[in-house]
Amino acid sequence: MYSPAIIAEAMVNGLLTGAVYALVALGLTLVYGVLHIINFAHGALLTCAMFAVWGLSEGLGVNVYFTIVPLAVVMFGVGYALQYWLIGPASRGEDSNTLLVTLGLSIAIENALLAVFHSDTRTLSGDAAFDVVELGPMLLSRPRLIGFGVSLLVALVLWLLLTRTDAGKAMRAVAKEPMGARLAGIDVRHIFALTFGIGCACLAVAAGLLLPTFYVTPRVGNAFVLVAFTIVVLGGMGSVPGALIGGLLIGMVESLGGLLFGESLGQGGIFVIFILVLLLRPQGLFGARA
Amino acid sequence: MLEVRGLSAGYGPTQIIRGLDLDVAPGKIVAVLGANGVGKTTLNKTLSGLLPIQAGDIRFEGQPLGGDAADILERGLVHVPEGRKIFPNMTVRENLELGSYRRAKVRRAANLEKMFVQFPRLRERSTQRAGTLSGGEQQMLAIGRGLMAEPRLLILDEPSLGLSPLLVEEMFALIRRLNAEGQAILLVEQNVVQSLEVADTAYIIENGSCSLSGPASELAGNPAVLSAYLGLEIGDA
Ligand SMILES: Nc1ncnc2c1ncn2[C@@H]1O[C@H](COP(=O)(O)OP(=O)(O)OP(=O)(O)O)[C@@H](O)[C@H]1O
Ligand SMILES: [Mg+2]
């Protein structure tokens, strides 16, 4: 069949892509874990970030990787403001309202993007996408290697934030015991907004890492979020290490599936896993039993 | 230090506390007693800013008390809630650290050490997840988390709830110890006899306001109070 080298290369490539998937999933799982809501605008916000990267890079000629930090700051601010002034107040403590608000937001964003950019597919010009690095017998894509490294770095920073800083500890406290948190002087509304902002900042980083090898359309975010949602379920809803491991696993499954069954069926493997997890271990790999 | 005048409060339109008056003097223990469901916890939640004031006013150290829970905590009114409300997913140490999230943060390390001296059990368990502690340990942790904010006034809502008789004794000993160091305490309890023993003054709540108040020693000797109150307790059990 396939030589071990080809299979190894597919697995490594899958891991590389999976790390960026994990980044998208991290934002989703963090917001779920702390606010207990599924942010249906996650995909649309990712699309926005990807258009921003594309615009900065093509329009102003900024190196893609230099867009990441400023864009992450902007997306953090956008996310913070959205949660603090729109999603939070509009939901009035009802989770079903939150669902409608984030869904509405995603529809609004998507249509605004469609109106401006139409449904054309855009990519970065230049041939950075074909940059390869030789690693032993394997040829690996340089942008994907960078994506892998940066994603792991972001995951590490996030983990340090959650375990070492007061803000991160407050996020974990609010996640499980909001009343106790309020009595400790933690401003829950601020912490919710902070969490949402961090989730959006993850998307900005993911956008900068994806664009060199991917295209952008007004609906592109949804595909990633579907995968990210599978990762969140696989890793355990709200689990940060779960999202990371889940992302790497899903990346590999997709890549191997693509190799063995053809590109179009590669993603099928993801959904088989999704169903299997729901059947066999609904709490996910790292999730607590309900 | 705490003056409550004509306070009304509750949930949404429902009024639970109706025109309640209450005073806590510096360095004193004030016991708030009353049958299940009369609104003792509701009163505490209103004092600590979890519930809005519907009418009346609260003054704390001479200034009106209001705003959200964080502002109130910042002024030194610390509420250790009924049911502990510790952070189950976090370690004992992290729980204590978050006690000084908004107040006394600069003295966090020193106060943490103080807590470990006060509660040696918590030191042993400092890296254990708080959710896996025993009930008694969780109560100690809840109080320790409250003390980390260096309270001017400490509100304890049923600290002996669910503890074995031995631990209840320990809890009251702790309350005495804290008070001996000058800590003002507002104590809500079901343990009428022991509460009246440690308290300086006591209030009996009925129908959302104070039906009786006075020096704890006097109330303890008032057979009418005790029989009425204990009668209710037995009836509810
Ligand atoms: N979140 C809430 N929403 C509406 N009503 C509530 C709420 N919490 C408590 N109540 C009602 O308020 C009344 C007073 O409750 P509260 O918890 O203050 O009583 P308590 O005196 O602390 O009782 P216990 O001794 O059992 O702790 C009760 O009738 C209760 O049903
Ligand atoms: Mg109560």
Side-chain angles (χ1 to χ4, degrees):
Chain A
M1 244 175 50
Y2 294 103
S3 74
I6 290 183
I7 292 192
E9 192 175 292
M11 285 176 73
V12 172
N13 263 318
L15 278 179
L16 300 187
T17 318
V20 184
Y21 289 166
L23 199 51
V24 179
L26 274 176
L28 202 59
T29 210
L30 197 64
V31 168
Y32 179 81
V34 177
L35 284 77
H36 308 295
I37 59 168
I38 292 166
N39 172 19
F40 284 97
H42 206 61
L45 288 164
L46 174 62
T47 314
C48 279
M50 287 174 80
F51 267 109
V53 170
W54 177 82
L56 285 170
S57 183
E58 292 295 295
L60 302 178
V62 184
N63 179 312
V64 206
Y65 296 115
F66 291 164
T67 66
I68 289 180
V69 172
L71 201 59
V73 173
V74 170
M75 285 292 286
F76 171 82
V78 167
Y80 188 100
L82 273 178
Q83 170 60 34
Y84 200 87
W85 283 294
L86 181 72
I87 301 172
S91 64
R92 288 192 218 92
E94 292 278 335
D95 287 355
S96 54
N97 289 347
T98 317
L99 186 153
L100 291 178
V101 175
T102 58
L103 200 60
L105 193 65
S106 90
I107 293 170
I109 293 174
E110 227 171 68
N111 282 291
L113 289 173
L114 269 172
V116 178
F117 297 102
H118 311 291
S119 48
D120 305 341
T121 299
R122 292 173 166 81
T123 55
L124 291 183
S125 50
D127 47 12
F130 305 106
D131 247 358
V132 288
V133 176
E134 227 173 300
L135 203 79
M138 293 181 283
L139 280 182
L140 299 174
S141 140
R142 185 193 298 276
R144 285 188 182 181
L145 271 172
I146 295 175
F148 180 75
V150 174
S151 295
L152 291 192
L153 187 70
V154 170
L156 178 70
V157 167
L158 211 54
W159 181 78
L160 288 174
L161 175 91
L162 286 170
T163 54
R164 300 293 155 87
T165 70
D166 264 24
K169 288 176 196 166
M171 285 162 64
R172 287 160 56 215
V174 168
K176 287 283 153 54
E177 185 42 74
M179 179 180 160
R182 283 179 73 192
L183 287 176
I186 295 169
D187 179 349
V188 174
R189 189 175 171 195
H190 163 71
I191 293 297
F192 277 0
L194 197 67
T195 309
F196 206 91
I198 293 172
C200 289
C202 287
L203 292 179
V205 181
L209 300 176
L210 283 171
L211 219 59
T213 58
F214 218 77
Y215 58 87
V216 53
T217 74
R219 291 218 180 85
V220 71
N222 293 334
F224 288 103
V225 168
L226 262 178
V227 175
F229 188 68
T230 310
I231 292 169
V232 170
V233 171
L234 172 65
M237 308 275 287
S239 164
V240 168
L244 187 60
I245 306 291
L248 297 176
L249 270 174
I250 289 287
M252 266 208 304
V253 167
E254 184 191 48
S255 175
L256 283 178
L259 181 69
L260 301 177
F261 308 113
E263 283 294 332
S264 55
L265 285 177
Q267 289 221 328
I270 296 177
F271 296 104
V272 171
I273 289 208
F274 186 70
I275 306 285
L276 283 179
V277 171
L278 286 181
L279 287 176
L280 302 177
R281 198 177 158 83
Q283 76 273 30
L285 296 176
F286 290 79
R289 215 170 271 276
Chain B
M1 84 187 309
L2 181 74
E3 294 147 43
V4 179
R5 292 292 171 270
L7 179 70
S8 295
Y11 305 89
T14 327
Q15 231 176 46
I16 306 288
I17 300 291
R18 302 184 195 88
L20 180 134
D21 297 332
L22 182 145
D23 282 273
V24 182
K28 300 291 185 198
I29 300 182
V30 172
V32 172
L33 309 170
N36 287 117
V38 294
K40 304 179 299 291
T41 297
T42 306
L43 168 66
N44 291 344
K45 285 185 183 167
T46 312
L47 294 176
S48 58
L50 293 182
L51 289 174
I53 300 169
Q54 290 175 349
D57 53 42
I58 307 173
R59 294 176 81 80
F60 184 57
E61 303 196 298
Q63 302 294 317
L65 192 71
D68 60 27
D71 298 331
I72 289 174
L73 180 118
E74 199 146 9
R75 287 177 52 189
L77 195 156
V78 176
H79 173 186
V80 177
E82 183 181 342
R84 296 137 195 175
K85 310 289 179 199
I86 52 163
F87 310 123
N89 53 329
M90 303 174 73
T91 67
V92 166
R93 175 186 285 271
E94 287 173 325
N95 268 268
L96 290 172
E97 283 170 350
L98 280 182
S100 56
Y101 177 82
R102 189 161 300 261
R103 202 178 133 84
K105 199 177 201 160
V106 289
R107 286 179 298 284
R108 174 177 288 177
N111 285 334
L112 197 61
E113 185 51 35
K114 254 196 196 162
M115 290 310 121
F116 285 151
V117 172
Q118 182 78 266
F119 307 109
R121 202 47 183 266
L122 295 185
R123 190 198 296 275
E124 282 167 37
R125 310 247 176 244
S126 66
T127 58
Q128 189 173 324
R129 276 170 175 244
T132 62
L133 295 177
S134 75
E137 291 163 349
Q138 290 193 10
Q139 187 62 56
M140 296 300 161
L141 180 59
I143 295 177
R145 185 180 67 188
L147 290 174
M148 286 294 290
E150 299 183 350
R152 310 272 305 150
L153 172 62
L154 182 65
I155 299 181
L156 298 176
D157 196 337
E158 307 218 13
S160 71
L161 189 74
L163 303 188
S164 68
L166 203 67
L167 279 179
V168 172
E169 288 303 324
E170 245 180 64
M171 181 58 65
F172 279 95
L174 170 70
I175 291 170
R176 269 186 231 262
R177 212 156 61 229
L178 292 173
N179 181 246
E181 292 164 10
Q183 179 70 64
I185 297 173
L186 182 71
L187 175 66
V188 169
E189 259 299 335
Q190 298 285 346
N191 260 307
V192 183
V193 177
Q194 274 157 306
S195 303
L196 289 177
E197 271 171 28
V198 298
D200 298 288
T201 46
Y203 291 80
I204 311 284
I205 315 263
E206 251 176 296
N207 287 323
S209 64
C210 274
S211 61
L212 246 175
S213 65
S217 51
E218 265 173 41
L219 286 190
N222 184 338
V225 176
L226 280 189
S227 67
Y229 185 71
L230 290 177
L232 266 174
E233 264 213 312
I234 293 160
D236 287 352

